[in-house]
Amino acid sequence: MREEYQRLTDEVSALLGTPATLEGRDFGLIAFAAHDSEDERALDPVRARSILRRGSTPAVREWFESFGITRARGPVRIPPDPAAGVLHGRICLPARHGGVVHGYLWLLDDGALGLDDPRLREAMDTAARVGDLLAADARAGARLGDLLAALLTAPPGAVPAAAEALAAGASPALTGPLALVALTPWHADGGPEATPAAVPGLVTATVPAGLEPPGSPAPLAVLVRLRAADSPAPARSVAERLRAWAGDGPVAGIGAAVTAPGGLADLPEAWRQATAAARAARAEPRLGPVAHWAELGPYRLLTALPAELPPDESVRRLLSPAHAGLAHTAEVYLDCAGQAARAAAALGIHRQTLYYRLSRIEALTGLSLDGGEDRLLLHLALKTARLSPAAPS
């Protein structure tokens, strides 16, 4: 389908003799027409950003939409705005289907084309074909998203049938090694179909993971094809692109790879891993904002604990807001394997100050920092507290 979008974009560019760009209704880049590299209009910063970063900023989107392109049924001329990086004027051709805009064909133009030019009528016919294709893609994506959500939430006995349904619905595209990406929280209006068209995820769906605080949106699941099972780079790229598109609010987790179509029944476990990695990314900044299951270390075990597990009684007082500084000291000390010199340096305090704080920690918890099991209990309790939905991010 990408080849067809590219062909139609090239067709409009050749017809009108100007650089053309196709974006989805979310302003995610889908295709751009080849053009003469000496055409100085190609250096427009907004167009360059769209091509290089696969989309536009919220401010640019808002500015373009202020000209009524979401409601227009014909070409819309948009003047340049150097302050916004729009150095050259544009003509927007809305790509509509069934009365709904699904994307935009953008033409760089500083007034050379009249809006009554007959070539623009022909270009609008092409834009309508683009709209039909985008609408069909959206319907297919929504159907596959429903199948993916059904598989990821299926009870164990129903997993094989749900996996077969997804494989049949996506055939023949769903092949080779795949990874699931979980993004949370996912606030995009319109659900998974509102994700940028430029993101090369095979299937998207919002899927409850059972770990969200009450009232929170379900995470977004994105199924991504990998080049190799041991190389999660494409999944990481998709996660970073979606985070940037959503304003860098969500964190992301990536589960272990599965092989399609035979291994699709392993996707529920991969989803558990992906959501666990996302929880760990939010809890531990050094792991995020995009964390892979294989890189979680002890958090692979800790994320298996119930999300609402209350803290151990021995550390309850230490975890109160009044003792946040002491809790931080205890965690740094244990992260430094109990080496006082390292911990004091990491905390930026004198060693005697550290010893004083450690004595207060022992008094609050009733634990001995000289005992291995007590230290293990305290360390696990501090790390587990980070995973609580109520913990500050």
Side-chain angles (χ1 to χ4, degrees):
M1 189 64 75
R2 294 282 172 186
E3 293 78 7
E4 183 67 5
Y5 289 133
Q6 185 64 59
R7 185 186 68 78
L8 293 172
T9 304
D10 288 338
E11 181 179 303
V12 169
S13 179
L15 172 68
L16 298 170
T18 188
T21 305
L22 172 61
E23 294 180 335
R25 64 183 170 193
D26 48 41
F27 286 72
L29 179 69
I30 298 173
F32 63 95
H35 54 79
D36 184 349
S37 61
E38 294 181 359
D39 187 341
E40 60 100 20
R41 292 177 299 170
L43 301 179
D44 184 299
V46 168
R47 186 170 193 266
R49 187 192 189 283
S50 177
I51 292 172
L52 294 175
R53 301 190 184 182
R54 314 298 295 184
S56 299
T57 66
V60 169
R61 296 199 298 266
E62 182 178 355
W63 189 77
F64 282 137
E65 288 175 347
S66 70
F67 290 88
I69 61 175
T70 61
R71 303 180 300 276
R73 297 184 176 275
V76 178
R77 187 180 297 284
I78 297 176
D81 181 6
V86 183
L87 302 186
H88 300 279
R90 282 162 168 72
I91 293 177
C92 175
L93 307 181
R96 309 181 73 90
H97 173 83
V100 177
V101 66
H102 287 270
Y104 306 101
L105 274 163
W106 297 97
L107 312 169
L108 288 185
D109 178 77
D110 284 316
L113 280 171
L115 294 186
D116 58 352
D117 190 309
R119 292 177 298 169
L120 279 179
R121 290 197 294 273
E122 186 176 344
M124 280 300 302
D125 290 340
T126 302
R129 288 153 60 197
V130 171
D132 292 343
L133 291 174
L134 289 171
D137 273 0
R139 289 193 298 270
R143 181 172 58 85
L144 289 179
D146 290 343
L147 292 173
L148 176 62
L151 171 57
L152 299 185
T153 57
V159 165
E164 288 181 10
L166 177 61
S171 182
L174 214 59
T175 58
L178 306 169
L180 266 173
V181 177
L183 289 105
T184 182
W186 187 250
H187 296 286
D189 293 336
E193 64 273 14
T195 57
V199 173
L202 293 172
V203 188
T204 62
T206 46
V207 184
L211 304 171
E212 305 82 30
S216 298
L220 179 73
V222 186
L223 193 59
V224 181
R225 183 183 289 113
L226 305 178
R227 289 185 289 271
D230 59 354
S231 177
R236 190 176 298 275
S237 175
V238 165
E240 290 171 346
R241 194 175 300 169
L242 281 168
R243 287 190 69 253
W245 181 78
D248 286 338
V251 294
I254 304 171
V258 305
T259 301
L264 292 183
D266 295 328
L267 282 177
E269 172 60 17
W271 178 239
R272 184 194 70 79
Q273 296 170 356
T275 54
R279 286 180 66 205
R282 185 165 296 283
E284 184 60 77
R286 68 178 176 80
L287 295 173
V290 178
H292 190 279
W293 171 253
E295 301 168 353
L296 298 189
Y299 281 101
R300 287 198 295 272
L301 297 176
L302 296 178
T303 53
L305 298 173
E308 298 293 344
L309 183 72
D312 188 84
E313 188 62 34
S314 63
V315 299
R316 191 180 298 275
R317 290 177 63 198
L318 180 63
L319 292 175
S320 69
H323 299 302
L326 289 178
H328 177 62
T329 295
E331 187 171 6
V332 171
Y333 174 72
L334 294 170
D335 285 347
C336 292
Q339 297 179 26
R342 283 179 57 200
L347 291 164
I349 59 176
H350 193 276
R351 195 180 306 186
Q352 287 304 122
T353 303
L354 173 65
Y355 290 141
Y356 170 71
R357 292 184 184 179
L358 295 178
S359 67
R360 290 191 61 200
I361 290 165
E362 289 182 322
L364 279 170
T365 62
L367 300 174
S368 170
L369 292 176
D370 290 330
E373 289 191 357
D374 282 2
R375 286 163 67 156
L376 177 61
L377 172 60
L378 180 58
H379 210 180
L380 289 176
L382 291 168
K383 295 298 185 187
T384 303
R386 287 180 173 271
L387 293 169
S388 168
S393 57

